[in-house]
Amino acid sequence: MGPLESGDPDRVGRYRLVARLGAGGMGQVYLGRSQAGRTVAVKRIHPHLAGDASFRERFAREVTAARQVSGAFTAPVIDADPEGAVPWLVTAYVPSAPLDTAIDGTGPLPGASLRFLAAGLAEALMEIHRVGLIHRDLKPGNVLLAEDGPRVIDFGIARAADTQTATQSVIGTPGFMSPEQIQGDHLTAASDMFAFGAILAYAASGTGPFGTGSVPTLMMRIINDRPDLSAVPHDLVPLVSACMAKDPAARPGPQQVLDVLGDAEPGASWLPPAFVSAIHASVGEVQKLLGHAPQPGPDAATAMFNEAPPTAAQGYGSTRVFPEPGQAGATAGHPATRRQTGGLSPEELRREELRREELRLEQLRREDELRRAELRREEDRRRELARREDERREAMRRQEQQREEQRRAHERREEQLRRDEMRREQQRARAQASRPHGLAAWMVFLVLPILQWPVGWFSQWTLSSMFDQDAPPEISLDNLSFDLFGELLPLLGLGYFVLNNLVGLYYLARSIYSQYLFGIVGSSLVLVVTNIVLYNVGFFE
């Protein structure tokens, strides 16, 4: 809030301007008075937007809808001229203090005041949505705290500025924009409910639910992070959390919010004394400005009533500070106009206004470039984090794959060991099955001369047949007398030699093949003992 500056018009339509209330992306807001002395807020659209035909069409449509909004918790639109050379809009002045200014000066709202604020904002949004409007820029600066309740201002007008010729960026206030609004998706009334929840979190803590930081940082937090509701009273946390859901379909509507809050309890004041004092201070400042407002002099009044009646395109005479082309000569020499414009001609004022607009647009472009650069950095950081996450997952996948391969190799080794063990068991079983049993039973025949003499005789006969030697004596019942030591013993020794060695070698070979230790030892003893005995009796001489 401050006094008028050089270049500001003294009047807009039939409203005399008193002071500056603030400025936004669409235009300058002034404190004004009607001809009947009623205090109003006048929003004068920026000249660079006035030349955009599509903006004018949207502005006229939104103003028509905004005029239909009524209710105790909105500042109603009482006048507008969307067809003027510079469009303007007038709303009722509410003796109040902006929510952000009050919070900065006195701190967060207590729980009871927060519930009253929530109910008042819900009623205001319900009335705004009833006529088909979406606020699109609901923020603490657009919420006024009055002694009889909160007010919502600037509703339904942000959409008119939603054009590429305006700011080349998304319309809204970072920190209080919905995720779909940031991403440029189609907006519904649920977008206002997200901002509604963010305002309640702000009023409860004194800071936004997504903290502070650059515009791209806040936007990324809104899209990806959960809001900080630690300062919100516990009984309101479910409601605020539902309003700030990422999915628009999951957010409640204003009527649902009112149903949850219930009826407000009557009281002396819904605001703490510190907030009431802040409202009184703001109203006192306005009254001070109104008390020092310049009154129109005789010359200005004479000039006003002596001019030709205004046309629809020109608006009121006091708004023709910036005349249409070709009208500069008609007003340049008028003394009242000179006094109103600080001694500058209308053409000079137009150039000065255009120069300021160019500087402002250049600043907006630089800010937009900074925002885009920050967004790119945020995107690069997100990509770097995503790349690192992919690398981490790939490393984990490779480790898991290596562990799986090691597990499979271990299983293969275990399987091979089992197969080898089974093979050895089978070999042992086959060896056990192939072991030469019965060597002990042969010991009787190997020791007693039972089979040796027939084997010896047969061997002697076979050798004599092969080498034409003397045949062994024939055995018959008629000839049982022969030389025992001369003929029988050599045949008996030959039988021992042949039989015992053949049996011993057979058992030794099978025992070695089957790894039968007892058989190897037994057959070796048979061979050794047999040949030692034969040697001692002179068989080999």
Side-chain angles (χ1 to χ4, degrees), residues 274-309:
F275 284 84
V276 176
S277 299
I279 294 174
H280 290 169
S282 178
V283 173
E285 188 176 353
V286 170
Q287 293 298 330
K288 183 178 178 181
L289 290 172
L290 291 174
H292 290 80
Q295 301 297 324
D299 293 339
T302 303
M304 183 183 302
F305 287 104
N306 286 341
E307 286 183 349

PDB file of all heavy atoms in Angstrom, residues 274-309:
ATOM      1  N   ALA A 274      -4.563  -9.943  18.714  1.00  0.00           N
ATOM      2  CA  ALA A 274      -3.445  -9.452  17.904  1.00  0.00           C
ATOM      3  C   ALA A 274      -3.857  -9.291  16.444  1.00  0.00           C
ATOM      4  O   ALA A 274      -3.462  -8.327  15.768  1.00  0.00           O
ATOM      5  CB  ALA A 274      -2.255 -10.400  18.025  1.00  0.00           C
ATOM      6  N   PHE A 275      -4.658 -10.223  15.921  1.00  0.00           N
ATOM      7  CA  PHE A 275      -5.118 -10.118  14.532  1.00  0.00           C
ATOM      8  C   PHE A 275      -6.119  -8.976  14.373  1.00  0.00           C
ATOM      9  O   PHE A 275      -6.125  -8.280  13.346  1.00  0.00           O
ATOM     10  CB  PHE A 275      -5.732 -11.447  14.092  1.00  0.00           C
ATOM     11  CG  PHE A 275      -4.724 -12.499  13.786  1.00  0.00           C
ATOM     12  CD1 PHE A 275      -4.188 -13.289  14.791  1.00  0.00           C
ATOM     13  CD2 PHE A 275      -4.291 -12.721  12.494  1.00  0.00           C
ATOM     14  CE1 PHE A 275      -3.258 -14.269  14.520  1.00  0.00           C
ATOM     15  CE2 PHE A 275      -3.360 -13.692  12.202  1.00  0.00           C
ATOM     16  CZ  PHE A 275      -2.834 -14.470  13.226  1.00  0.00           C
ATOM     17  N   VAL A 276      -6.977  -8.792  15.372  1.00  0.00           N
ATOM     18  CA  VAL A 276      -7.926  -7.672  15.301  1.00  0.00           C
ATOM     19  C   VAL A 276      -7.172  -6.351  15.282  1.00  0.00           C
ATOM     20  O   VAL A 276      -7.522  -5.420  14.532  1.00  0.00           O
ATOM     21  CB  VAL A 276      -8.901  -7.740  16.493  1.00  0.00           C
ATOM     22  CG1 VAL A 276      -9.830  -6.530  16.498  1.00  0.00           C
ATOM     23  CG2 VAL A 276      -9.719  -9.032  16.436  1.00  0.00           C
ATOM     24  N   SER A 277      -6.099  -6.252  16.067  1.00  0.00           N
ATOM     25  CA  SER A 277      -5.291  -5.028  16.056  1.00  0.00           C
ATOM     26  C   SER A 277      -4.639  -4.824  14.698  1.00  0.00           C
ATOM     27  O   SER A 277      -4.539  -3.689  14.209  1.00  0.00           O
ATOM     28  CB  SER A 277      -4.218  -5.115  17.149  1.00  0.00           C
ATOM     29  OG  SER A 277      -4.808  -5.234  18.434  1.00  0.00           O
ATOM     30  N   ALA A 278      -4.195  -5.915  14.060  1.00  0.00           N
ATOM     31  CA  ALA A 278      -3.603  -5.787  12.726  1.00  0.00           C
ATOM     32  C   ALA A 278      -4.633  -5.294  11.718  1.00  0.00           C
ATOM     33  O   ALA A 278      -4.317  -4.476  10.832  1.00  0.00           O
ATOM     34  CB  ALA A 278      -3.025  -7.132  12.283  1.00  0.00           C
ATOM     35  N   ILE A 279      -5.876  -5.770  11.851  1.00  0.00           N
ATOM     36  CA  ILE A 279      -6.936  -5.292  10.957  1.00  0.00           C
ATOM     37  C   ILE A 279      -7.187  -3.815  11.194  1.00  0.00           C
ATOM     38  O   ILE A 279      -7.306  -3.017  10.241  1.00  0.00           O
ATOM     39  CB  ILE A 279      -8.213  -6.113  11.167  1.00  0.00           C
ATOM     40  CG1 ILE A 279      -7.991  -7.570  10.735  1.00  0.00           C
ATOM     41  CG2 ILE A 279      -9.371  -5.507  10.383  1.00  0.00           C
ATOM     42  CD1 ILE A 279      -9.150  -8.476  11.038  1.00  0.00           C
ATOM     43  N   HIS A 280      -7.250  -3.395  12.441  1.00  0.00           N
ATOM     44  CA  HIS A 280      -7.479  -1.989  12.749  1.00  0.00           C
ATOM     45  C   HIS A 280      -6.348  -1.124  12.213  1.00  0.00           C
ATOM     46  O   HIS A 280      -6.584  -0.014  11.699  1.00  0.00           O
ATOM     47  CB  HIS A 280      -7.619  -1.807  14.256  1.00  0.00           C
ATOM     48  CG  HIS A 280      -8.880  -2.398  14.795  1.00  0.00           C
ATOM     49  ND1 HIS A 280      -9.127  -2.561  16.144  1.00  0.00           N
ATOM     50  CD2 HIS A 280      -9.993  -2.891  14.166  1.00  0.00           C
ATOM     51  CE1 HIS A 280     -10.317  -3.108  16.317  1.00  0.00           C
ATOM     52  NE2 HIS A 280     -10.850  -3.333  15.125  1.00  0.00           N
ATOM     53  N   ALA A 281      -5.105  -1.637  12.311  1.00  0.00           N
ATOM     54  CA  ALA A 281      -3.981  -0.862  11.794  1.00  0.00           C
ATOM     55  C   ALA A 281      -4.073  -0.708  10.286  1.00  0.00           C
ATOM     56  O   ALA A 281      -3.813   0.372   9.732  1.00  0.00           O
ATOM     57  CB  ALA A 281      -2.663  -1.538  12.178  1.00  0.00           C
ATOM     58  N   SER A 282      -4.458  -1.802   9.578  1.00  0.00           N
ATOM     59  CA  SER A 282      -4.596  -1.722   8.124  1.00  0.00           C
ATOM     60  C   SER A 282      -5.725  -0.771   7.732  1.00  0.00           C
ATOM     61  O   SER A 282      -5.578   0.048   6.820  1.00  0.00           O
ATOM     62  CB  SER A 282      -4.852  -3.127   7.560  1.00  0.00           C
ATOM     63  OG  SER A 282      -5.037  -3.083   6.169  1.00  0.00           O
ATOM     64  N   VAL A 283      -6.852  -0.859   8.442  1.00  0.00           N
ATOM     65  CA  VAL A 283      -7.972   0.028   8.139  1.00  0.00           C
ATOM     66  C   VAL A 283      -7.605   1.473   8.458  1.00  0.00           C
ATOM     67  O   VAL A 283      -7.957   2.406   7.721  1.00  0.00           O
ATOM     68  CB  VAL A 283      -9.219  -0.415   8.923  1.00  0.00           C
ATOM     69  CG1 VAL A 283     -10.348   0.591   8.747  1.00  0.00           C
ATOM     70  CG2 VAL A 283      -9.665  -1.796   8.461  1.00  0.00           C
ATOM     71  N   GLY A 284      -6.856   1.674   9.547  1.00  0.00           N
ATOM     72  CA  GLY A 284      -6.430   3.025   9.878  1.00  0.00           C
ATOM     73  C   GLY A 284      -5.524   3.625   8.822  1.00  0.00           C
ATOM     74  O   GLY A 284      -5.620   4.822   8.504  1.00  0.00           O
ATOM     75  N   GLU A 285      -4.659   2.786   8.237  1.00  0.00           N
ATOM     76  CA  GLU A 285      -3.801   3.285   7.164  1.00  0.00           C
ATOM     77  C   GLU A 285      -4.621   3.681   5.953  1.00  0.00           C
ATOM     78  O   GLU A 285      -4.347   4.700   5.304  1.00  0.00           O
ATOM     79  CB  GLU A 285      -2.776   2.213   6.796  1.00  0.00           C
ATOM     80  CG  GLU A 285      -1.713   2.676   5.827  1.00  0.00           C
ATOM     81  CD  GLU A 285      -0.663   1.619   5.569  1.00  0.00           C
ATOM     82  OE1 GLU A 285      -0.686   0.564   6.248  1.00  0.00           O
ATOM     83  OE2 GLU A 285       0.192   1.844   4.684  1.00  0.00           O
ATOM     84  N   VAL A 286      -5.647   2.868   5.663  1.00  0.00           N
ATOM     85  CA  VAL A 286      -6.517   3.216   4.530  1.00  0.00           C
ATOM     86  C   VAL A 286      -7.255   4.516   4.817  1.00  0.00           C
ATOM     87  O   VAL A 286      -7.367   5.404   3.949  1.00  0.00           O
ATOM     88  CB  VAL A 286      -7.502   2.060   4.259  1.00  0.00           C
ATOM     89  CG1 VAL A 286      -8.566   2.499   3.250  1.00  0.00           C
ATOM     90  CG2 VAL A 286      -6.757   0.843   3.746  1.00  0.00           C
ATOM     91  N   GLN A 287      -7.765   4.659   6.028  1.00  0.00           N
ATOM     92  CA  GLN A 287      -8.470   5.882   6.385  1.00  0.00           C
ATOM     93  C   GLN A 287      -7.544   7.085   6.307  1.00  0.00           C
ATOM     94  O   GLN A 287      -7.953   8.180   5.888  1.00  0.00           O
ATOM     95  CB  GLN A 287      -9.046   5.748   7.803  1.00  0.00           C
ATOM     96  CG  GLN A 287     -10.151   4.706   7.926  1.00  0.00           C
ATOM     97  CD  GLN A 287     -11.360   5.041   7.071  1.00  0.00           C
ATOM     98  OE1 GLN A 287     -11.669   6.210   6.808  1.00  0.00           O
ATOM     99  NE2 GLN A 287     -12.052   4.005   6.624  1.00  0.00           N
ATOM    100  N   LYS A 288      -6.303   6.889   6.676  1.00  0.00           N
ATOM    101  CA  LYS A 288      -5.345   7.982   6.579  1.00  0.00           C
ATOM    102  C   LYS A 288      -5.133   8.402   5.138  1.00  0.00           C
ATOM    103  O   LYS A 288      -5.085   9.601   4.814  1.00  0.00           O
ATOM    104  CB  LYS A 288      -4.026   7.553   7.210  1.00  0.00           C
ATOM    105  CG  LYS A 288      -2.966   8.647   7.243  1.00  0.00           C
ATOM    106  CD  LYS A 288      -1.716   8.138   7.933  1.00  0.00           C
ATOM    107  CE  LYS A 288      -0.628   9.221   7.935  1.00  0.00           C
ATOM    108  NZ  LYS A 288       0.628   8.736   8.592  1.00  0.00           N
ATOM    109  N   LEU A 289      -5.018   7.391   4.256  1.00  0.00           N
ATOM    110  CA  LEU A 289      -4.860   7.713   2.835  1.00  0.00           C
ATOM    111  C   LEU A 289      -6.108   8.385   2.288  1.00  0.00           C
ATOM    112  O   LEU A 289      -6.036   9.324   1.492  1.00  0.00           O
ATOM    113  CB  LEU A 289      -4.555   6.435   2.046  1.00  0.00           C
ATOM    114  CG  LEU A 289      -3.173   5.812   2.274  1.00  0.00           C
ATOM    115  CD1 LEU A 289      -3.085   4.458   1.592  1.00  0.00           C
ATOM    116  CD2 LEU A 289      -2.075   6.729   1.728  1.00  0.00           C
ATOM    117  N   LEU A 290      -7.277   7.913   2.735  1.00  0.00           N
ATOM    118  CA  LEU A 290      -8.514   8.530   2.264  1.00  0.00           C
ATOM    119  C   LEU A 290      -8.636   9.955   2.778  1.00  0.00           C
ATOM    120  O   LEU A 290      -9.146  10.839   2.083  1.00  0.00           O
ATOM    121  CB  LEU A 290      -9.715   7.698   2.725  1.00  0.00           C
ATOM    122  CG  LEU A 290      -9.880   6.333   2.069  1.00  0.00           C
ATOM    123  CD1 LEU A 290     -11.018   5.557   2.718  1.00  0.00           C
ATOM    124  CD2 LEU A 290     -10.136   6.475   0.568  1.00  0.00           C
ATOM    125  N   GLY A 291      -8.140  10.214   3.975  1.00  0.00           N
ATOM    126  CA  GLY A 291      -8.214  11.557   4.516  1.00  0.00           C
ATOM    127  C   GLY A 291      -7.318  12.525   3.803  1.00  0.00           C
ATOM    128  O   GLY A 291      -7.613  13.726   3.737  1.00  0.00           O
ATOM    129  N   HIS A 292      -6.212  12.028   3.231  1.00  0.00           N
ATOM    130  CA  HIS A 292      -5.284  12.884   2.510  1.00  0.00           C
ATOM    131  C   HIS A 292      -5.486  12.818   1.010  1.00  0.00           C
ATOM    132  O   HIS A 292      -4.672  13.325   0.253  1.00  0.00           O
ATOM    133  CB  HIS A 292      -3.841  12.502   2.835  1.00  0.00           C
ATOM    134  CG  HIS A 292      -3.425  12.847   4.236  1.00  0.00           C
ATOM    135  ND1 HIS A 292      -3.764  12.073   5.314  1.00  0.00           N
ATOM    136  CD2 HIS A 292      -2.722  13.914   4.721  1.00  0.00           C
ATOM    137  CE1 HIS A 292      -3.274  12.620   6.426  1.00  0.00           C
ATOM    138  NE2 HIS A 292      -2.647  13.744   6.101  1.00  0.00           N
ATOM    139  N   ALA A 293      -6.545  12.186   0.566  1.00  0.00           N
ATOM    140  CA  ALA A 293      -6.770  12.064  -0.871  1.00  0.00           C
ATOM    141  C   ALA A 293      -7.089  13.427  -1.460  1.00  0.00           C
ATOM    142  O   ALA A 293      -7.847  14.210  -0.890  1.00  0.00           O
ATOM    143  CB  ALA A 293      -7.923  11.110  -1.138  1.00  0.00           C
ATOM    144  N   PRO A 294      -6.519  13.786  -2.632  1.00  0.00           N
ATOM    145  CA  PRO A 294      -6.809  15.083  -3.255  1.00  0.00           C
ATOM    146  C   PRO A 294      -8.245  15.140  -3.732  1.00  0.00           C
ATOM    147  O   PRO A 294      -8.757  14.178  -4.295  1.00  0.00           O
ATOM    148  CB  PRO A 294      -5.810  15.141  -4.406  1.00  0.00           C
ATOM    149  CG  PRO A 294      -5.509  13.719  -4.729  1.00  0.00           C
ATOM    150  CD  PRO A 294      -5.587  12.989  -3.421  1.00  0.00           C
ATOM    151  N   GLN A 295      -8.886  16.244  -3.487  1.00  0.00           N
ATOM    152  CA  GLN A 295     -10.260  16.441  -3.940  1.00  0.00           C
ATOM    153  C   GLN A 295     -10.246  17.119  -5.303  1.00  0.00           C
ATOM    154  O   GLN A 295      -9.392  17.965  -5.591  1.00  0.00           O
ATOM    155  CB  GLN A 295     -11.034  17.331  -2.945  1.00  0.00           C
ATOM    156  CG  GLN A 295     -11.090  16.744  -1.541  1.00  0.00           C
ATOM    157  CD  GLN A 295     -11.834  15.442  -1.506  1.00  0.00           C
ATOM    158  OE1 GLN A 295     -12.824  15.271  -2.231  1.00  0.00           O
ATOM    159  NE2 GLN A 295     -11.369  14.515  -0.673  1.00  0.00           N
ATOM    160  N   PRO A 296     -11.176  16.780  -6.172  1.00  0.00           N
ATOM    161  CA  PRO A 296     -11.200  17.394  -7.504  1.00  0.00           C
ATOM    162  C   PRO A 296     -11.495  18.887  -7.383  1.00  0.00           C
ATOM    163  O   PRO A 296     -12.419  19.304  -6.696  1.00  0.00           O
ATOM    164  CB  PRO A 296     -12.334  16.650  -8.218  1.00  0.00           C
ATOM    165  CG  PRO A 296     -13.156  16.084  -7.130  1.00  0.00           C
ATOM    166  CD  PRO A 296     -12.256  15.820  -5.974  1.00  0.00           C
ATOM    167  N   GLY A 297     -10.650  19.705  -8.030  1.00  0.00           N
ATOM    168  CA  GLY A 297     -10.810  21.162  -7.997  1.00  0.00           C
ATOM    169  C   GLY A 297     -11.827  21.638  -8.994  1.00  0.00           C
ATOM    170  O   GLY A 297     -12.383  20.883  -9.794  1.00  0.00           O
ATOM    171  N   PRO A 298     -12.074  22.950  -8.986  1.00  0.00           N
ATOM    172  CA  PRO A 298     -13.075  23.501  -9.907  1.00  0.00           C
ATOM    173  C   PRO A 298     -12.708  23.289 -11.353  1.00  0.00           C
ATOM    174  O   PRO A 298     -13.553  23.016 -12.188  1.00  0.00           O
ATOM    175  CB  PRO A 298     -13.117  24.980  -9.544  1.00  0.00           C
ATOM    176  CG  PRO A 298     -12.440  25.098  -8.208  1.00  0.00           C
ATOM    177  CD  PRO A 298     -11.528  23.959  -8.088  1.00  0.00           C
ATOM    178  N   ASP A 299     -11.389  23.455 -11.648  1.00  0.00           N
ATOM    179  CA  ASP A 299     -10.988  23.294 -13.048  1.00  0.00           C
ATOM    180  C   ASP A 299     -11.247  21.880 -13.526  1.00  0.00           C
ATOM    181  O   ASP A 299     -11.732  21.651 -14.638  1.00  0.00           O
ATOM    182  CB  ASP A 299      -9.504  23.625 -13.206  1.00  0.00           C
ATOM    183  CG  ASP A 299      -9.245  25.109 -12.960  1.00  0.00           C
ATOM    184  OD1 ASP A 299     -10.210  25.888 -13.067  1.00  0.00           O
ATOM    185  OD2 ASP A 299      -8.082  25.448 -12.643  1.00  0.00           O
ATOM    186  N   ALA A 300     -10.936  20.915 -12.682  1.00  0.00           N
ATOM    187  CA  ALA A 300     -11.142  19.520 -13.094  1.00  0.00           C
ATOM    188  C   ALA A 300     -12.617  19.238 -13.270  1.00  0.00           C
ATOM    189  O   ALA A 300     -13.031  18.560 -14.213  1.00  0.00           O
ATOM    190  CB  ALA A 300     -10.545  18.578 -12.050  1.00  0.00           C
ATOM    191  N   ALA A 301     -13.442  19.757 -12.333  1.00  0.00           N
ATOM    192  CA  ALA A 301     -14.878  19.521 -12.466  1.00  0.00           C
ATOM    193  C   ALA A 301     -15.422  20.178 -13.710  1.00  0.00           C
ATOM    194  O   ALA A 301     -16.247  19.613 -14.441  1.00  0.00           O
ATOM    195  CB  ALA A 301     -15.600  20.059 -11.231  1.00  0.00           C
ATOM    196  N   THR A 302     -14.952  21.444 -13.980  1.00  0.00           N
ATOM    197  CA  THR A 302     -15.421  22.139 -15.189  1.00  0.00           C
ATOM    198  C   THR A 302     -15.009  21.373 -16.425  1.00  0.00           C
ATOM    199  O   THR A 302     -15.791  21.206 -17.371  1.00  0.00           O
ATOM    200  CB  THR A 302     -14.842  23.564 -15.223  1.00  0.00           C
ATOM    201  OG1 THR A 302     -15.221  24.237 -14.028  1.00  0.00           O
ATOM    202  CG2 THR A 302     -15.337  24.304 -16.422  1.00  0.00           C
ATOM    203  N   ALA A 303     -13.747  20.874 -16.391  1.00  0.00           N
ATOM    204  CA  ALA A 303     -13.288  20.127 -17.563  1.00  0.00           C
ATOM    205  C   ALA A 303     -14.108  18.865 -17.749  1.00  0.00           C
ATOM    206  O   ALA A 303     -14.433  18.470 -18.867  1.00  0.00           O
ATOM    207  CB  ALA A 303     -11.807  19.775 -17.404  1.00  0.00           C
ATOM    208  N   MET A 304     -14.476  18.223 -16.631  1.00  0.00           N
ATOM    209  CA  MET A 304     -15.235  16.971 -16.729  1.00  0.00           C
ATOM    210  C   MET A 304     -16.593  17.210 -17.349  1.00  0.00           C
ATOM    211  O   MET A 304     -17.035  16.463 -18.220  1.00  0.00           O
ATOM    212  CB  MET A 304     -15.384  16.341 -15.342  1.00  0.00           C
ATOM    213  CG  MET A 304     -16.100  14.995 -15.345  1.00  0.00           C
ATOM    214  SD  MET A 304     -16.317  14.379 -13.682  1.00  0.00           S
ATOM    215  CE  MET A 304     -14.640  14.319 -13.126  1.00  0.00           C
ATOM    216  N   PHE A 305     -17.309  18.263 -16.907  1.00  0.00           N
ATOM    217  CA  PHE A 305     -18.661  18.443 -17.388  1.00  0.00           C
ATOM    218  C   PHE A 305     -18.716  19.173 -18.717  1.00  0.00           C
ATOM    219  O   PHE A 305     -19.744  19.178 -19.358  1.00  0.00           O
ATOM    220  CB  PHE A 305     -19.487  19.225 -16.356  1.00  0.00           C
ATOM    221  CG  PHE A 305     -19.823  18.398 -15.151  1.00  0.00           C
ATOM    222  CD1 PHE A 305     -19.144  18.595 -13.961  1.00  0.00           C
ATOM    223  CD2 PHE A 305     -20.786  17.412 -15.226  1.00  0.00           C
ATOM    224  CE1 PHE A 305     -19.446  17.829 -12.862  1.00  0.00           C
ATOM    225  CE2 PHE A 305     -21.082  16.644 -14.109  1.00  0.00           C
ATOM    226  CZ  PHE A 305     -20.417  16.854 -12.924  1.00  0.00           C
ATOM    227  N   ASN A 306     -17.603  19.814 -19.142  1.00  0.00           N
ATOM    228  CA  ASN A 306     -17.608  20.530 -20.415  1.00  0.00           C
ATOM    229  C   ASN A 306     -17.188  19.633 -21.561  1.00  0.00           C
ATOM    230  O   ASN A 306     -17.318  20.030 -22.716  1.00  0.00           O
ATOM    231  CB  ASN A 306     -16.671  21.739 -20.344  1.00  0.00           C
ATOM    232  CG  ASN A 306     -17.279  22.867 -19.506  1.00  0.00           C
ATOM    233  OD1 ASN A 306     -18.487  22.896 -19.288  1.00  0.00           O
ATOM    234  ND2 ASN A 306     -16.423  23.791 -19.038  1.00  0.00           N
ATOM    235  N   GLU A 307     -16.635  18.457 -21.253  1.00  0.00           N
ATOM    236  CA  GLU A 307     -16.206  17.570 -22.346  1.00  0.00           C
ATOM    237  C   GLU A 307     -17.416  16.892 -22.961  1.00  0.00           C
ATOM    238  O   GLU A 307     -18.496  16.829 -22.374  1.00  0.00           O
ATOM    239  CB  GLU A 307     -15.244  16.502 -21.823  1.00  0.00           C
ATOM    240  CG  GLU A 307     -13.853  17.079 -21.524  1.00  0.00           C
ATOM    241  CD  GLU A 307     -12.905  15.997 -21.081  1.00  0.00           C
ATOM    242  OE1 GLU A 307     -13.378  14.887 -20.825  1.00  0.00           O
ATOM    243  OE2 GLU A 307     -11.697  16.272 -21.007  1.00  0.00           O
ATOM    244  N   ALA A 308     -17.192  16.418 -24.186  1.00  0.00           N
ATOM    245  CA  ALA A 308     -18.252  15.698 -24.894  1.00  0.00           C
ATOM    246  C   ALA A 308     -18.546  14.395 -24.186  1.00  0.00           C
ATOM    247  O   ALA A 308     -17.693  13.831 -23.501  1.00  0.00           O
ATOM    248  CB  ALA A 308     -17.805  15.422 -26.337  1.00  0.00           C
ATOM    249  N   PRO A 309     -19.774  13.899 -24.322  1.00  0.00           N
ATOM    250  CA  PRO A 309     -20.119  12.621 -23.669  1.00  0.00           C
ATOM    251  C   PRO A 309     -19.210  11.508 -24.156  1.00  0.00           C
ATOM    252  O   PRO A 309     -18.836  11.463 -25.323  1.00  0.00           O
ATOM    253  CB  PRO A 309     -21.583  12.398 -24.088  1.00  0.00           C
ATOM    254  CG  PRO A 309     -22.068  13.747 -24.468  1.00  0.00           C
ATOM    255  CD  PRO A 309     -20.914  14.495 -25.030  1.00  0.00           C
TER     256      PRO A 309
END
